[in-house]
Amino acid sequence: MSATANRGEWSSRTGFILAAAGSAIGLGNIWRFPYAAGENGGGAFVLIYLLFVVLIGVPVLLAELSIGREAEKNPVGAFKALVPDKFWPYVGGLGVMTGFGILAFYSVIAGWTLSYLFSALSGDFGTAITAAESGAIFTELIGNPFKAILLTASFLLLTILVVRGGVSGGIERATKILMPLLFLILVILAVRAVTLPGAMQGLEYLFKPDFSKLTTGVVMSALGQALFSMSLGMGAMITYGSYFPKSENIHFAGASVAVFDTLIAILAGVIIFPALFTAGVEPDAGPGLVFVVLPTIFNTLPAGSFFAVAFYALLAIAALTSTISLLEVVVSYFVDERGWNRSKAAWLLGGACLVLAVPSALAQGGNDYLTSFLGEGLDFLSVQNIIWGNYSLSLGALLICVFVGWRWGTTKAIASLEVGGFKLPAAGLWVILIRYVCPLAVAVILAFIIYTQQYL
Ligand code: TRP
């Protein structure tokens, strides 16, 4: 069997939408978005994030899908297949590294969701709880080095087990029913949140831009968040696009993913910020924000402990469909380019990732040095989040724009997006965005960040 024949394909367009949405929707929406919005002053950050989703996220998503669909390869192999240059495969390599780097801190947070799921199952969130009590629970859970590492390892193990099984078997099955359920529960929580006493204050913080809070760092975070949330800038969507059936409309599927992903982030914000002002938690509480705030609202719902269990179970699953896509990129590189077998690749690379994850797992109180790694608010995990999740993804997105816009060419990219006979709407606009607007915007932001030396 040829390498292509046994890579597998999504069984349907819905399968792809759900799997790609599964990659996009995850802790980035529910944990990272509120945490970044809170640290960056709220409304202005949210507005710029939304702008970036439309002007940069969607065009880059289409660019990645076009590459993947044409090349039918992992990021490194895809660049090799499309142009003869030596340089471009290194961009794919940067993507594979970035995926590994993100997975290493992401699985730590994902581990926290498991721990909260266990607490919810034992009924911990069924009774009234203050922000201070909730904070103490968080500190207790996360500050324990042994627990933190064990939870991270458990989550990586789950990821390895699914990725071992291969694309349509493992990933698709895991996503199909559970994503819509997550959406439903978020809507219920949002309805509850907007009727809390702090609702007005929270919604204002989230939606009313205060441009005096705007700095280069805020703009950089918004860019990073838009890319991170849509799983862009490292080739995940190259890999997923490569499994997309030739008979289906890939740009419609991509646009649907962008819409779902953004909706879920906004919903998460609509839940967290009213709850946060009601409970008296500071918006810039950092990586623990969502974990500290949410337990304070479950008990205000009828059947609160049921909702708590359902929410953390679905959040853990949403995180799993994201970690799967991260490990999948790394694994598909070693399988396609280095001839490893899938199972060996999943075990070895997942295991290696745990080693890199340990310092992040110890960075919330488990170890003093890692907790204040680069100073106040810059614990080891947050630093990883910034390096891989903001800078590296931005650089990757910039290079992908240059590749599609100027090297491989937008004509070929559009042809790839139109396979199956589906005309790309506003193709002319997309060409302008991918050649000029996106690369310039990202390059200017990166240059400013370097020039002002503003570490977020
Ligand atoms: N987008 C996911 C989230 O929001 C995280 C993620 C999965 C990701 N795969 C990625 C981020 C690839 C960047 C690149 O939780």
Side-chain angles (χ1 to χ4, degrees):
M1 225 188 319
S2 77
T4 316
N6 64 23
R7 309 182 70 235
E9 209 180 57
W10 305 108
S11 58
S12 66
R13 185 181 75 197
T14 346
F16 168 86
I17 295 183
L18 287 168
S23 164
I25 296 161
L27 298 171
N29 311 61
I30 290 158
W31 160 74
R32 199 184 197 259
F33 173 75
Y35 146 47
E39 269 189 343
N40 289 290
F45 167 90
V46 174
L47 188 71
I48 297 174
Y49 156 76
L50 290 173
L51 206 71
F52 284 163
V53 166
V54 176
L55 289 180
I56 299 176
V58 173
V60 172
L61 174 60
L62 292 175
E64 287 201 24
L65 291 175
S66 74
I67 297 174
R69 192 182 216 192
E70 179 65 23
E72 296 196 51
K73 292 254 157 60
N74 66 88
V76 176
F79 286 107
K80 267 194 211 157
L82 297 184
V83 294
D85 316 359
K86 281 228 158 50
F87 170 72
W88 291 103
Y90 286 105
V91 175
L94 173 72
V96 172
M97 256 175 60
T98 306
F100 195 78
I102 292 178
L103 181 59
F105 73 81
Y106 199 97
S107 50
V108 174
I109 318 292
W112 300 354
T113 66
L114 286 185
S115 166
Y116 271 72
L117 174 59
F118 299 142
S119 294
L121 281 169
S122 54
D124 285 2
F125 304 129
T127 47
I129 179 173
T130 65
E133 287 162 346
S134 175
I137 293 177
F138 177 75
T139 313
E140 206 279 310
L141 282 174
I142 306 316
N144 179 326
F146 174 72
K147 256 193 211 166
I149 294 173
L150 187 70
L151 289 165
T152 307
S154 315
F155 209 90
L156 277 170
L157 180 66
L158 289 173
T159 309
I160 292 168
L161 291 176
V162 180
V163 169
R164 260 187 82 238
V167 179
S168 44
I171 304 178
E172 237 183 279
R173 219 174 321 141
T175 322
K176 252 181 181 150
I177 319 154
L178 299 161
M179 286 295 116
L181 272 182
L182 175 68
F183 189 78
L184 183 72
I185 214 154
L186 286 172
V187 171
I188 295 170
L189 288 175
V191 169
R192 167 69 268 210
V194 297
T195 52
L196 288 170
M200 265 325 284
Q201 229 182 329
L203 295 176
E204 242 178 53
Y205 186 87
L206 188 63
F207 293 121
K208 201 163 153 202
D210 171 0
F211 290 107
S212 70
K213 295 202 178 129
L214 216 53
T215 60
T216 314
V218 172
V219 176
M220 180 71 223
S221 305
L223 174 64
Q225 180 58 26
L227 297 172
F228 187 94
S229 191
M230 291 167 74
S231 301
L232 298 173
M234 50 130 326
M237 290 299 169
I238 294 182
T239 309
Y240 272 29
S242 75
Y243 302 118
F244 195 80
K246 296 286 185 212
S247 56
E248 302 278 359
N249 184 340
I250 199 170
H251 39 84
F252 176 76
S256 317
V257 169
V259 170
F260 287 140
D261 183 66
T262 309
L263 261 180
I264 296 226
I266 297 295
L267 262 180
V270 169
I271 299 166
I272 299 297
F273 287 94
L276 163 168
F277 282 104
T278 307
V281 176
E282 288 302 318
D284 63 352
L289 179 69
V290 178
F291 290 91
V292 173
V293 171
L294 276 181
T296 64
I297 62 166
F298 288 121
N299 77 291
T300 69
L301 280 164
S305 12
F306 165 77
F307 276 111
V309 172
F311 174 79
Y312 288 113
L314 291 166
L315 184 59
I317 290 159
L320 184 62
T321 55
S322 299
T323 55
I324 287 166
S325 83
L326 288 161
L327 186 59
E328 174 64 24
V329 171
V330 185
V331 164
S332 73
Y333 163 68
F334 280 88
V335 171
D336 290 354
E337 302 301 309
R338 310 231 158 175
W340 290 21
N341 86 39
R342 180 166 268 277
S343 181
K344 167 182 152 190
W347 282 111
L348 275 180
L349 297 160
C353 197
L354 178 60
V355 177
L356 189 69
V358 166
S360 283
L362 299 180
Q364 305 298 319
N367 173 292
D368 288 342
Y369 171 68
L370 295 165
T371 302
S372 55
F373 188 59
L374 291 184
E376 176 67 30
L378 287 174
D379 59 273
F380 189 83
L381 186 147
S382 299
V383 171
Q384 298 297 303
N385 184 17
I386 292 168
I387 294 176
W388 303 112
N390 286 347
Y391 295 145
S392 192
L393 291 181
S394 303
L395 182 62
L398 170 62
L399 292 164
I400 286 166
C401 291
V402 173
F403 177 77
V404 170
W406 299 93
R407 178 63 187 92
W408 182 46
T410 47
T411 315
K412 287 183 189 143
I414 290 172
S416 161
L417 292 171
E418 290 184 343
V419 165
F422 304 95
K423 222 160 163 34
L424 179 66
L429 176 63
W430 178 71
V431 170
I432 295 172
L433 290 171
I434 215 71
R435 293 189 69 163
Y436 304 101
V437 179
C438 303
L440 268 176
V442 177
V444 167
I445 295 166
L446 282 173
F448 252 96
I449 271 287
I450 294 165
Y451 178 72
T452 59
Q453 302 211 338
Q454 250 189 40
Y455 300 103
L456 316 178

